[in-house]
Amino acid sequence: MTKFIVVRHGQSEGNAKGEFHGQYNSDLTELGHRQAECTAEYVDRYTIDAIYSSDIRRAYSTAKHTADRRGMPVITDTGLREIFAGDWEQMKFSDIEEKYPEERRIWYEDVAHCKIPGGESVAEMAERVNAAFERIAAENDGKTVFVATHFTPIRAMCCRWHGWPLDGMQKIKGVVNASVTIVEYDGDKRKIVCVGEAEHLVKAGLLTGLPKDI
């Protein structure tokens, strides 16, 4: 069995600016670093054998807080990246709403079937991220693996783990910055232990909610 401790990155520069950063290589804010350290402290309760991350800085910086506490390296994997947002990269959500009203409506109401102009479809992203998790699980059989990634990949993977179609992404809203999702891979079986655990952030006064735009 492989146990995954999956962490969404802390508050990013894009989150703070109300921008869609997709694969734009933005980093954490000061608050994002504090959230990442709080989550690193929270996962001290687990033995972690390997630490993986999307190579985008906001995810890598989040993983680095856990890695530094343990004296471990961070293994980057491009398969764990956020969706490639094409024409929407680094655009404000309000501008996307104005310039791409129909595509933005689909993102809001039917994200599973969204294809971002000039970018990836959600289905393409989901296949990419799932392949990364399958590969990491095979490389770490019997181990506990920390993975730092992004909002859309975690929602898509939750559907995969539940055995739902991607339409189920509409139900998954609680994956806030630096929250913890745990899933166990046992052969072909997937057991979700928790999704979007953030009580440690609430207690520390570090919780940032999801913006309505997302």
Side-chain angles (χ1 to χ4, degrees), residues 111-161:
V111 66
H113 298 101
C114 185
K115 170 76 164 69
I116 297 177
E120 279 183 299
S121 71
V122 171
E124 288 167 340
M125 179 223 65
E127 287 303 313
R128 165 174 59 78
V129 177
N130 182 63
F133 271 91
E134 291 292 331
R135 181 174 62 252
I136 294 167
E139 292 170 355
N140 293 276
D141 187 32
K143 297 179 180 179
T144 298
V145 181
F146 179 103
V147 171
T149 184
H150 306 263
F151 181 64
T152 321
I154 294 173
R155 291 170 75 201
M157 288 306 301
C158 281
C159 290
R160 180 81 62 155
W161 298 328

Side-chain angles (χ1 to χ4, degrees), residues 178-193:
S179 61
V180 176
T181 296
I182 298 176
V183 61
E184 296 171 348
Y185 278 44
D186 189 359
D188 293 333
K189 297 178 182 177
R190 307 290 180 260
K191 179 184 176 182
I192 297 175
V193 178

Side-chain angles (χ1 to χ4, degrees), residues 26-88:
S26 56
D27 209 338
L28 298 179
T29 63
E30 180 182 347
L31 173 57
H33 279 288
R34 289 167 61 203
Q35 290 172 329
E37 184 63 23
C38 182
T39 294
E41 292 173 9
Y42 176 77
V43 301
D44 276 347
R45 66 193 65 194
Y46 299 103
T47 298
I48 293 175
D49 300 296
I51 298 176
Y52 285 75
S53 174
S54 156
D55 63 333
I56 296 172
R57 281 182 297 185
R58 57 191 183 271
Y60 180 83
S61 292
T62 299
K64 194 78 164 57
H65 281 268
T66 294
D68 287 351
R69 288 177 71 85
R70 296 165 180 264
M72 295 174 65
V74 178
I75 303 165
T76 57
D77 191 319
T78 58
L80 298 169
R81 286 180 175 182
E82 179 58 279
I83 192 167
F84 173 52
D87 296 347
W88 294 2

